[in-house]
Amino acid sequence: MNQYSEQSEIFFSSGLPNFNKILKHKTNITRKNVIEQLEYIATKRKQIIYIDKFSKELYDTSRNYIDTKLDFILQAVKQGIPFEIQFQKNSKKGKTTVYGLPLANCDRKERDKTTNTLMFINILQEISDITRNNKLAVLRDIYYKNVSIYNNKQGNFNYLIEKLSLISGIERNSLNVAASQKGEYYTFSKITMSSTNNVNCPHVILNKGKNLIPTCFNDSYKDYDCISGEAIPTQVLIVEKDAVFSDIVNNINPSLLQNWITVSGRGQPDILSKNFVKMLSNCKNIKNILVLTDLDPYGIYIALNYMSSIFQTILLESKMTKPRVEYLGVKILDLLMEKELVTKDTDNYKDNKKFLHYTSKDYKISTNAIKKITSSPFFQKQEAIKNLLYECQRQMFFGFKAELNSLKGGNFSSWIEEKINIYT
């Protein structure tokens, strides 16, 4: 029996590493040395499970694709075979996890956390159950069934399911998983979205008032290019925060909003919110699209996310008139040059204007935002993207940030009324 076989027999029981047996035979060995030996042996024995591009010739249906991958993993677990999940792509970067190995150099808190492998297996299992029963699930429904598996972070769940869709080439809808209705819109009156190019494209009604964005725009947003109704909007206002969005639609004179569609993705926009904005940017009726976020590095990132999605859409179109895209703010000068009116009713203006100091984390995020802005394919040709760079640099120079609600001493509605009057 060679050395490798002897080590395998000692270190593994039914294919899985037996940590106690190792310590029993190697009394003077450190935990780090044990794990290094386990990693070496497991690497020699492990099975690689590839997440590759979906092919009808190989898998016939997306359901068969998911079931095949899941079956490979479950068989490896049942038989105690160390395995590694590899996503097939051009880049070789990324972490790999060998099933069955103890975590090295981690404290108890870290060891209690789950792994990407367990998260991914859970996603495959959920999708398999959904498609087998011909059900339709919403992303958040799957996440909330097992929040602990994803370390109570929906971002972990979103990342892995997006990665599965990207590598396999299978759209989420084909997996019977739809985006949750996170974003909202507001219109002064009921309007109808239609297509001038696709006669088979069904009309979509956007009801009056504040409503969730319809999920139908997950797929066919590119077809819609026409708005009709009693009051046809020509302007789009994108707002970062849900609280500010509610303030606008509840407190601004409704007559000022007749020509506006107001949209909020409630922070960083999801795919449905971005698709909705893309659809609006494709409509010939829309003249201006304004983006309004907090005066902080996160606001810059959110604005860049929206603008990149919009420019990806309108630059592909051959139509002569394209909407103007502008970063409305909040900008440094909005606060620095704001008049501090002092009356009996507004003597608390100065106290309410909250300038928050930049933290070391803010400087780091801003630095990364600048790199992302300058590397954008739209940076050289789109003034709106350049303005984001200037605002980010000004924030870093002055070293402060602020929230939308701090404008006008907390009376944000009056500030936005002044702004939108320019475009109305």
Side-chain angles (χ1 to χ4, degrees):
M1 182 179 294
N2 58 35
Q3 184 182 4
Y4 169 74
S5 300
E6 290 176 353
Q7 286 180 326
S8 298
E9 188 174 316
I10 294 173
F11 289 171
F12 287 84
S13 174
S14 301
L16 293 175
N18 190 321
F19 196 76
N20 293 329
K21 187 174 288 189
I22 300 168
L23 295 179
K24 180 179 178 181
H25 285 78
K26 305 283 186 178
T27 55
N28 296 324
I29 196 170
T30 65
R31 176 183 173 86
K32 181 178 179 181
N33 294 142
V34 171
I35 293 173
E36 287 176 350
Q37 291 186 52
L38 282 173
E39 288 177 340
Y40 174 77
I41 295 170
T43 300
K44 295 292 184 180
R45 294 164 53 94
K46 71 181 178 185
Q47 173 180 324
I48 298 178
I49 299 172
Y50 294 101
I51 305 301
D52 52 3
K53 199 78 173 176
F54 167 72
S55 167
K56 284 191 174 182
E57 288 75 16
L58 293 176
Y59 303 103
D60 189 32
T61 65
S62 58
R63 173 183 166 183
N64 288 341
Y65 173 91
I66 297 296
D67 286 343
T68 300
K69 303 304 177 185
L70 184 61
D71 185 61
F72 283 155
I73 296 172
L74 295 181
Q75 289 302 319
V77 173
K78 289 177 181 178
Q79 297 175 26
I81 302 173
F83 68 87
E84 177 182 314
I85 297 174
Q86 286 190 5
F87 291 85
Q88 286 198 319
K89 55 181 180 179
N90 294 331
S91 173
K92 295 183 179 179
K93 295 180 180 179
K95 296 181 180 179
T96 57
T97 302
V98 178
Y99 164 72
L101 291 181
L103 298 178
N105 301 322
C106 294
D107 58 27
R108 185 178 301 277
K109 182 178 179 182
E110 289 294 326
R111 291 201 302 272
D112 287 342
K113 289 186 177 180
T114 186
T115 65
N116 286 352
T117 303
L118 181 57
M119 295 181 197
F120 189 68
I121 293 173
N122 182 252
I123 287 175
L124 291 179
Q125 183 64 59
E126 291 291 342
I127 292 176
S128 178
D129 290 343
I130 292 167
T131 53
R132 186 181 299 107
N133 295 304
N134 293 320
K135 293 181 179 179
L136 179 65
V138 175
L139 283 173
R140 289 172 65 85
D141 292 340
I142 299 176
Y143 166 72
Y144 278 113
K145 286 179 68 176
N146 282 295
V147 294
S148 59
I149 286 181
Y150 304 98
N151 291 333
N152 298 301
K153 296 179 181 178
Q154 190 171 348
N156 291 336
F157 169 78
N158 293 343
Y159 170 77
L160 283 172
I161 200 165
E162 284 298 322
K163 190 171 184 178
L164 171 63
S165 178
L166 178 65
I167 300 300
S168 67
I170 304 174
E171 296 290 336
R172 280 207 316 256
N173 284 354
S174 298
L175 299 173
N176 288 15
V177 179
S180 54
Q181 293 173 287
K182 177 184 176 184
E184 296 177 297
Y185 73 88
Y186 171 87
T187 60
F188 176 77
S189 61
K190 184 172 72 173
I191 59 176
T192 301
M193 310 302 303
S194 58
S195 173
T196 57
N197 300 316
N198 187 352
V199 293
N200 296 319
C201 185
H203 292 189
V204 176
I205 304 295
L206 297 183
N207 291 317
K208 173 183 177 180
K210 181 179 176 182
N211 298 281
L212 291 171
I213 294 173
T215 57
C216 61
F217 294 115
N218 270 322
D219 294 320
S220 56
Y221 69 89
K222 296 179 182 178
D223 292 325
Y224 295 94
D225 60 357
C226 184
I227 304 175
S228 58
E230 182 180 341
I232 300 176
T234 57
Q235 323 288 336
V236 175
L237 175 64
I238 301 172
V239 183
E240 171 188 349
K241 300 171 77 170
D242 181 54
V244 174
F245 174 74
S246 297
D247 188 8
I248 292 173
V249 301
N250 292 330
N251 298 319
I252 290 182
N253 186 339
S255 62
L256 292 177
L257 297 176
Q258 288 189 41
N259 299 321
W260 291 81
I261 295 180
T262 309
V263 182
S264 176
R266 300 182 186 180
Q268 197 65 254
D270 58 5
I271 292 178
L272 180 58
S273 299
K274 288 192 289 186
N275 283 351
F276 185 68
V277 171
K278 287 179 183 179
M279 180 272 297
L280 293 175
S281 67
N282 190 43
C283 292
K284 59 191 70 175
N285 314 74
I286 301 300
K287 307 301 180 186
N288 295 293
I289 301 176
L290 310 178
V291 183
L292 182 63
T293 67
D294 279 336
L295 197 161
D296 61 24
Y298 293 103
I300 296 294
Y301 262 116
I302 291 171
L304 179 62
N305 199 344
Y306 276 115
M307 288 181 180
S308 297
S309 299
I310 295 169
F311 288 131
Q312 285 173 357
T313 302
I314 63 178
L315 293 182
L316 293 175
E317 299 299 322
S318 58
K319 60 183 182 181
M320 297 298 294
T321 58
K322 301 178 186 295
R324 176 189 176 191
V325 181
E326 182 179 341
Y327 180 58
L328 188 62
V330 176
K331 301 176 182 179
I332 290 287
L333 292 179
D334 290 326
L335 289 177
L336 291 180
M337 306 304 291
E338 183 181 276
K339 294 180 180 179
E340 295 184 8
L341 300 177
V342 179
T343 67
K344 291 182 179 180
D345 297 326
T346 61
D347 57 2
N348 62 344
Y349 257 32
K350 192 170 184 179
D351 293 333
N352 283 338
K353 187 189 288 185
K354 299 184 183 299
F355 293 90
L356 306 174
H357 288 289
Y358 244 46
T359 64
S360 57
K361 183 178 180 181
D362 291 325
Y363 279 110
K364 183 178 180 180
I365 296 171
S366 292
T367 301
N368 292 333
I370 288 175
K371 292 178 182 178
K372 193 163 187 178
I373 292 170
T374 53
S375 62
S376 167
F378 313 109
F379 176 67
Q380 295 296 335
K381 296 183 179 181
Q382 298 299 330
E383 196 65 26
I385 301 292
K386 291 182 180 179
N387 286 336
L388 283 183
L389 173 65
Y390 302 148
E391 289 305 319
C392 193
Q393 290 173 326
R394 288 177 185 133
Q395 287 180 26
M396 297 179 72
F397 176 79
F398 286 103
F400 77 79
K401 57 186 179 180
E403 296 184 344
L404 286 166
N405 317 62
S406 64
L407 289 162
K408 288 289 185 182
N411 187 12
F412 174 77
S413 295
S414 63
W415 181 85
I416 193 65
E417 281 184 6
E418 295 173 6
K419 287 287 185 178
I420 65 176
N421 268 325
I422 300 173
Y423 298 89
T424 301

